[in-house]
Amino acid sequence: MAKKLNMRKRYELLTRGLGWEPTYQPKDKVFAQEAYEGIKITDWSKWEDPFRLTVDAYWKYQAEKDKKLYAVMDSFAQNNAHLNLADASYVNALKLFIQGVSPLEYAAHRNFARLARQLSGEGAQIACQMQSIDELRHAQTQIHTISHYNKHFHGMHDPFHMFDRVWYLSVPKSYFDDASSAGPFEFITSVSFSFEYLLTNLLFVPFMSGAAYNGDMATVTFGFSAQSDESRHMTLGLEIIKFLLEQHEDNLPIVQGWIDKHFWRAYRLLGLVAMMQDYFLPESPMSWKEGWQIYFVENAGALFNDLGRYGLQMPKYHEIATAEADHISHQIFGTFYNYIHAAAFNLGLPSEAKMNWLSEKYPDTFDKYYRPRMEMWAQMEKEGKRFFNMGLPQLCQVCQIPMCFTEIAKDDPMQVSYRVSEYEGEKFHTCSDGCKTIFDHEPEKYVNAWLPVHQIFQGNCGGAAVPDVLNWYHFHPEDGGDYVGSADEARWKAMKGEAAAEAPKTSQADAA
Amino acid sequence: MSEHKVFMIFQNTADAQPFISAFEQENPRATLDYQPGMVRIEGLGELGITQAVVSELAGRDVNLQELHLTLISLSGNIDEDDDYFRITRH
Amino acid sequence: MSLNIAAKEIKPLRLNYGHIARRIGDNKPATRYQEAVYDVQPTTNFHYPPSWDPSRKLYDTARTAIVMQDWYSFTDPRQFYYTSYVAARAKQQEIMESNFELVEKRDLLQSLPAELAAQIRQVLIPLRHYEYGANMNNQDICHRGYGTTITSLASFNGFDRIGMAQYISRIALLLDGNEETSLQAAKEAWLNNPAWQGLRQAMEDSFVLDDWFEILVVQDIVMDGLLYPLIYEAFISQVAAQGGSTFLMLTQFMNEWSEENTRWTNQLLKVTASESPANAQLLAEWVRVWLARIDLALLPIAHLAFGAKGAEQLATVKAELLARLAKQGLKV
């Protein structure tokens, strides 16, 4: 009579012990990346599997999920269900997504494969491998979901070419390149913990609830489907932190430093999502500030309480991030308003209704600091002098966002925040204490950044004039500019059976 | 108080129903919050379900790992075996 | 204002993504596979040098001596993107699951001759470690390789290996009534039995290769190209003939997988070798060196499996491998 095996034991027998200590090659050559970050692992057998999915179970459940997902995708395409969107201006959220988020899913796929190769504990290794293939799933299902939108709207036609070149896309690209170029433990702290555990809801909820509120059922279905993978990723993130901190006390300051750094970098990246959340959606479920309160202040607070017993503290500069919640979406919006002629999505001043929503959600800041700007810009538009910024902005050396942030933490929200560092006789500029601290800790790394504005000035981006650069980006004239008067708006109205708006057209052509 | 909050979020679909109902049944102090397309089940300290109850509700022998099909998110430390699934935070 | 719901307004602006259209035009829609793999990987303008390989970039064609004008010339003949991959595997796992259930429920291994059971333990179970190592190599290819076509394929390959390692482990548990005896013995054999050391040493040497394409040749072409026909075709057939037909069921996945492996490796070699004489020469050189080594390493395992006929069986699969490589343009 066969002995009964419980899930835990069975999983252990099917995974632990598969690996072995190499003897024909030195272990530190086979697992060459495990030691150089200074992390001490004394006993991989102490790893607690965050979830226990055998490969065959994985195949079964994932296939079932994808069957449903692709059925919805097909039906969406077949029925031209994009006609049910609240408004075509919503699609700009998807443009930002395919240009700036999908490539990160792909990067995660490749880097978790790195961890699957480089970590010498089978439990962690297999969990990373599962995440690697999950991330490929996300990248590919996003490409497939958005494929239908690419057929009917502008700006989504060359996302991967753009990701490698476009000025605002160097924000997500440099964020992930940072983790990818780091060692395996910094990578997993950055992505699995700081991003997938601590901040993931701040990326997903805005896009997914934005999709739900605006009639984008394809994306909603994708979102729900991907989220169940995310719950595995979150548990991996939590487990890796606990494991590293329990393995050796020397790991604590290293891990804390990584959490501090990658929290700040991720937070800055999420500024683009904040802008999307507050300004792109015709129907807005929640403001950035509200989301920050729930998903960071409350959630992270609880989490770090839990982790306090290891000596871990809330990430450095988190109070600044919380203070900035009242401001960043408006500041970043302002930047993109300036440069929308050089973007592959449409934007535009918020409607009166939207501004009232913003007033309500940001009672302390919107009417005081940002409504006046909107009103001024609206007046200029009315006079046929819609403002486009024809210069190029200074980018932060670290986060690579234009230097549009102000000294919120110093109670001086009208003062642009500049920081300077010197390295080998040259000056480097950052946007905040957070980014400066990151730079100063590893200047030899950050001086390498491929800053889009510098590159344009150096002549590496297709030519000396804006149209040359946009061409090099593979932008089409229809891709950017204000939403009102855009090709997308005209097409939407035609699809819905309305005449196109008579509003003055604003486009890259006008701006150039 | 919020330090010990744990939650599970499921898609609000027929497939998820046995799991949602099991959480409700086996965790009397849990709160259920229905939002568009999903339901958030929240508890203090711990939330758990058993294979026996889920199977009874589903009318068939259920593998608890099937919850992966409709799970959206969770918060807490996972503890699972063939006959139970729970999340905790103490 | 007149309402004009012209049917033409619903016509799409374009059929394909730009990078896809540059490859296949915009007259017909791309397949899901094409959309999922072409040009997804970044190629330029990286921000920081990798601390784990500072002389090269995050994605770098220089990580291999193989040179391709277009790393997307090769496409997977199976056209596996994530969803089609898991869909295919889910079907297979359903069959494997019912196979294992049947064996367990009906205690089909009970009547297995003791000698045969011992041989299965000796020859098959240690391969769970081989699969784990093969996975390590394929994860390395996925990370350091170039282009989405090959690297995503390697990702699926690695995942398959863990799947097979788990099936092999389950066979051991079936043989032992869920005791760990065979699992432990197999680990011991893998580590210390002279019969396995040639293979293990070759595998560990492959772990530290710098050129990821060489790793692919060593692992997915030479090692798998010899071992799979040797064990999952020849040996299992022999086992079946001797009263162990249950093992045909329990290794069905491996058999099907081996056919797939042959298919895509043939295609990859054909495309890569025909690109340039330099490529063809390099591939042939890698095969020449490693084939000699693996051939030697597998001999004691062949003896375990076939006794005195071991050398002959090994020679047969080696000849077959060389023949199929020659067909793809490799003159070894």
Side-chain angles (χ1 to χ4, degrees):
Chain A
M1 192 51 198
K3 183 169 97 172
K4 187 78 169 76
L5 284 177
N6 71 13
M7 176 205 273
R8 190 170 234 146
K9 185 66 182 172
R10 185 172 177 275
Y11 187 80
E12 188 193 302
L13 292 178
L14 296 185
T15 52
R16 301 303 174 97
L18 281 178
W20 71 94
E21 287 271 315
T23 60
Y24 298 105
Q25 289 286 343
K27 182 174 180 184
D28 61 12
K29 208 169 165 209
V30 174
F31 298 103
Q33 296 187 28
E34 270 195 333
Y36 78 95
E37 296 173 277
I39 288 289
K40 298 185 173 121
I41 307 289
T42 55
D43 186 2
W44 270 110
S45 75
K46 289 280 185 300
W47 174 267
E48 278 278 326
D49 296 307
F51 48 89
R52 294 180 181 83
L53 215 50
T54 54
V55 166
D56 59 335
Y58 181 93
W59 287 329
K60 176 174 155 179
Y61 294 129
Q62 297 299 101
E64 227 174 292
K65 278 154 66 173
D66 271 4
K67 224 200 249 171
K68 292 186 170 144
L69 175 58
Y70 278 81
V72 170
M73 241 192 256
D74 284 342
S75 150
F76 192 89
Q78 231 166 350
N79 297 323
N80 280 313
H82 59 279
L83 295 173
N84 297 325
L85 293 176
D87 187 72
S89 60
Y90 157 78
V91 181
N92 293 297
L94 297 178
K95 299 178 194 183
L96 193 59
F97 197 91
I98 189 77
Q99 292 168 23
V101 178
S102 304
L104 299 189
E105 308 268 23
Y106 183 76
H109 154 66
R110 298 289 292 268
N111 275 276
F112 275 100
R114 167 163 70 121
L115 265 58
R117 169 59 185 82
Q118 295 294 339
L119 298 181
S120 62
E122 303 99 315
Q125 178 269 305
I126 287 176
C128 288
Q129 175 164 355
M130 222 163 249
Q131 177 142 0
S132 167
I133 207 177
D134 284 343
E135 302 290 4
L136 181 66
R137 172 183 193 236
H138 296 173
Q140 293 182 328
T141 50
Q142 285 160 18
I143 291 169
H144 288 151
T145 303
I146 292 177
S147 175
H148 176 73
Y149 284 101
N150 171 54
K151 295 180 162 80
H152 291 283
F153 299 93
H154 297 283
M156 292 168 282
H157 57 94
D158 227 330
F160 302 108
H161 178 89
M162 290 182 190
F163 182 73
D164 277 347
R165 294 163 181 79
V166 170
W167 60 278
Y168 56 89
L169 297 176
S170 78
V171 176
K173 184 169 175 177
S174 67
Y175 165 76
F176 221 95
D177 277 7
D178 196 332
S180 306
S181 56
F185 293 110
E186 180 173 351
F187 177 85
I188 202 172
T189 303
S190 161
V191 177
S192 286
F193 182 74
S194 289
F195 205 87
E196 298 270 35
Y197 197 92
L198 200 52
L199 295 169
T200 186
N201 287 319
L202 287 156
L203 171 65
F204 260 93
V205 171
F207 277 108
M208 295 310 144
S209 60
Y213 271 66
N214 290 281
D216 179 6
M217 296 329 292
T219 300
V220 172
T221 310
F222 158 78
F224 277 160
S225 194
Q227 277 302 87
S228 51
D229 301 333
E230 294 300 334
S231 62
R232 282 201 296 277
H233 302 173
M234 281 167 53
T235 52
L236 171 60
L238 187 59
E239 175 55 33
I240 190 67
I241 288 300
K242 281 159 48 179
F243 177 74
L244 292 179
L245 297 175
E246 282 169 359
Q247 278 293 300
H248 203 288
E249 59 187 4
D250 288 356
N251 294 339
L252 173 61
I254 303 175
V255 170
Q256 179 76 57
W258 288 337
I259 289 176
D260 292 346
K261 166 181 165 184
H262 289 280
F263 160 78
W264 186 261
R265 281 220 70 169
Y267 161 65
R268 270 288 182 255
L269 167 63
L270 288 170
L272 297 182
V273 179
M275 166 186 67
M276 186 284 296
Q277 184 169 11
D278 283 349
Y279 286 89
F280 280 30
L281 304 173
E283 301 295 328
S284 293
M286 188 189 274
S287 70
W288 169 259
K289 181 180 156 129
E290 282 173 312
W292 186 258
Q293 176 61 30
I294 296 172
Y295 294 111
F296 183 74
V297 176
E298 288 173 19
N299 256 21
L303 169 68
F304 276 93
N305 242 300
D306 204 18
L307 295 172
R309 68 191 130 116
Y310 296 111
L312 213 54
Q313 292 173 352
M314 283 283 277
K316 199 168 183 186
Y317 303 121
H318 74 95
E319 315 91 334
I320 296 183
T322 299
E324 288 185 349
D326 259 311
H327 295 269
I328 50 160
S329 65
H330 318 296
Q331 293 178 350
I332 294 181
F333 167 83
T335 299
F336 277 90
Y337 180 80
N338 270 236
Y339 288 106
I340 202 60
H341 57 288
F345 55 86
N346 303 125
L347 198 51
L349 290 175
S351 64
E352 192 57 37
K354 185 63 139 204
M355 283 208 282
N356 292 338
W357 179 81
L358 289 165
S359 295
E360 187 200 314
K361 297 297 179 184
Y362 294 92
D364 301 326
T365 55
F366 185 74
D367 288 336
K368 186 170 180 187
Y369 300 109
Y370 303 106
R371 187 186 278 265
R373 286 174 149 190
M374 311 292 176
E375 287 170 350
M376 177 195 72
W377 282 326
Q379 184 57 33
M380 289 171 77
E381 279 185 25
K382 230 188 190 162
E383 292 166 8
K385 297 178 189 155
R386 198 269 191 224
F387 177 68
F388 292 102
N389 193 325
M390 288 296 112
L392 294 181
Q394 181 177 50
L395 304 179
C396 169
Q397 185 73 30
V398 173
C399 71
Q400 304 202 18
I401 296 176
M403 307 269 272
C404 62
F405 304 107
T406 61
E407 301 279 14
I408 307 299
K410 294 187 179 166
D411 248 333
D412 198 356
M414 299 296 278
Q415 170 60 50
V416 177
S417 169
Y418 294 101
R419 301 288 183 273
V420 183
S421 304
E422 261 198 54
Y423 180 71
E424 295 191 345
E426 277 197 66
K427 287 204 169 89
F428 295 90
H429 297 89
T430 45
C431 69
S432 55
D433 290 336
C435 285
K436 178 171 159 69
T437 303
I438 292 171
F439 180 88
D440 290 342
H441 187 66
E442 294 172 274
E444 69 284 355
K445 172 168 179 165
Y446 292 98
V447 299
N448 289 295
W450 190 91
L451 292 179
V453 171
H454 285 47
Q455 294 294 326
I456 291 171
F457 282 136
Q458 288 174 30
N460 295 329
C461 300
V466 168
D468 298 325
V469 177
L470 301 186
N471 215 41
W472 185 75
Y473 287 166
H474 286 188
F475 284 6
H476 301 152
E478 302 86 9
D479 290 341
D482 285 330
Y483 176 70
V484 171
S486 69
D488 269 4
E489 188 204 34
R491 200 175 138 77
W492 179 251
K493 290 193 185 265
M495 288 194 283
K496 297 296 242 179
E498 300 161 30
E502 296 291 338
K505 286 190 167 53
T506 55
S507 70
Q508 294 152 340
D510 289 351
Chain B
M1 258 284 258
S2 71
E3 294 95 72
H4 304 297
K5 250 195 229 168
V6 291
F7 66 76
M8 307 275 300
I9 304 181
F10 283 95
Q11 293 182 40
N12 193 7
T13 60
D15 285 341
Q17 205 46 53
F19 292 100
I20 297 168
S21 301
F23 272 104
E24 206 173 5
Q25 192 175 308
E26 300 193 77
N27 303 272
R29 292 214 293 233
T31 55
L32 267 70
D33 177 25
Y34 285 87
Q35 293 167 31
M38 56 190 201
V39 54
R40 181 187 164 108
I41 305 163
E42 208 171 270
L44 275 181
E46 184 176 311
L47 279 175
I49 51 174
T50 58
Q51 195 264 354
V53 170
V54 177
S55 297
E56 195 191 313
L57 289 164
R60 61 175 178 84
D61 202 21
V62 171
N63 185 327
L64 284 181
Q65 293 206 313
E66 289 175 43
L67 63 76
H68 282 288
L69 289 172
T70 51
L71 178 66
I72 293 174
S73 186
L74 63 81
S75 179
N77 303 303
I78 294 179
D79 175 21
E80 60 173 338
D81 207 326
D82 293 311
D83 48 0
Y84 70 86
F85 178 95
R86 76 172 75 102
I87 45 169
T88 61
R89 177 174 280 133
H90 294 295
Chain C
M1 306 203 181
S2 62
L3 294 177
N4 189 3
I5 309 172
K8 65 181 167 130
E9 300 302 345
I10 314 260
K11 245 179 66 180
L13 289 169
R14 68 194 120 239
L15 287 183
N16 290 320
Y17 284 109
H19 54 280
I20 304 285
R22 285 193 286 280
R23 289 182 179 278
I24 70 167
D26 206 43
N27 295 320
K28 64 176 203 290
T31 63
R32 285 237 152 95
Y33 173 69
Q34 289 170 326
E35 274 190 334
V37 299
Y38 278 147
D39 301 308
V40 176
Q41 180 206 280
T43 59
T44 185
N45 303 329
F46 303 107
H47 291 277
Y48 319 108
S51 61
W52 38 272
D53 187 12
S55 66
R56 291 184 284 211
K57 302 183 296 247
L58 283 172
Y59 299 102
D60 204 328
T61 51
R63 288 207 173 89
T64 176
I66 295 284
V67 177
M68 298 294 290
Q69 287 288 44
D70 179 8
W71 279 96
Y72 293 91
S73 319
F74 164 74
T75 55
D76 184 349
R78 304 164 302 178
Q79 297 191 39
F80 274 169
Y81 57 98
Y82 180 93
T83 298
S84 60
Y85 165 72
V86 294
R89 293 292 181 256
K91 280 205 193 97
Q92 289 171 287
Q93 82 80 30
E94 213 180 318
I95 294 172
M96 286 298 278
E97 205 50 45
S98 90
N99 289 354
F100 270 86
E101 257 173 47
L102 187 68
V103 172
E104 200 169 4
K105 211 158 146 199
R106 300 297 188 87
D107 208 5
L108 293 182
L109 294 182
Q110 199 215 27
S111 56
L112 201 63
E115 251 175 49
L116 202 55
Q119 208 187 20
I120 294 278
R121 287 185 172 99
Q122 271 194 319
V123 175
L124 191 61
I125 313 301
L127 288 175
R128 67 196 285 261
H129 303 291
Y130 170 80
E131 291 301 330
Y132 188 82
N135 172 53
M136 282 171 64
N137 278 332
N138 279 283
Q139 294 303 326
D140 201 8
I141 295 164
C142 180
H143 173 233
R144 295 186 306 119
Y146 202 83
T148 308
T149 35
I150 296 179
T151 56
S152 61
L153 181 156
S155 174
F156 299 142
N157 190 311
F159 215 75
D160 289 339
R161 315 315 291 248
I162 299 295
M164 291 191 286
Q166 291 178 342
Y167 282 137
I168 295 171
S169 310
R170 284 170 70 179
I171 290 172
L173 291 173
L174 270 182
L175 284 169
D176 293 344
N178 286 340
E179 297 293 341
E180 295 168 52
T181 336
S182 301
L183 291 175
Q184 285 166 7
K187 181 81 175 265
E188 175 60 27
W190 178 255
L191 290 176
N192 296 312
N193 187 317
W196 291 95
Q197 299 318 299
L199 183 60
R200 178 163 80 86
Q201 182 168 8
M203 189 157 243
E204 289 181 17
D205 288 349
S206 74
F207 289 160
V208 300
L209 291 172
D210 188 47
D211 191 317
W212 62 268
F213 210 111
E214 185 179 359
I215 296 178
L216 193 156
V217 169
V218 174
Q219 179 63 68
D220 298 337
I221 294 168
V222 177
M223 286 191 191
D224 292 346
L226 289 176
L227 202 105
Y228 269 77
L230 186 72
I231 302 295
Y232 294 106
E233 283 168 37
F235 174 64
I236 295 294
S237 298
Q238 179 185 276
V239 164
Q242 291 173 355
S245 58
T246 313
F247 290 96
L248 285 172
M249 289 164 61
L250 296 176
T251 61
Q252 182 178 348
F253 183 94
M254 289 72 145
N255 219 284
E256 290 168 7
W257 189 89
S258 179
E259 281 170 26
E260 273 189 30
N261 202 54
T262 301
R263 220 176 135 204
W264 71 260
T265 54
N266 281 353
Q267 178 68 6
L268 179 64
L269 286 172
K270 190 145 141 233
V271 169
T272 313
S274 63
E275 171 93 356
S276 67
N279 280 357
Q281 211 173 334
L282 182 54
L283 289 170
E285 182 59 22
W286 282 336
V287 170
R288 195 186 61 78
V289 168
W290 286 92
L291 187 57
R293 211 180 141 177
I294 305 301
D295 187 22
L296 211 60
L298 288 181
L299 191 55
I301 298 165
H303 279 310
L304 286 178
F306 303 101
K309 289 230 172 95
E312 186 190 318
Q313 291 282 2
L314 186 51
T316 307
V317 301
K318 179 179 167 187
E320 281 166 7
L321 177 62
L322 283 168
R324 98 168 152 91
L325 295 183
K327 269 213 198 108
Q328 316 314 323
L330 261 70
K331 297 188 188 77
V332 177

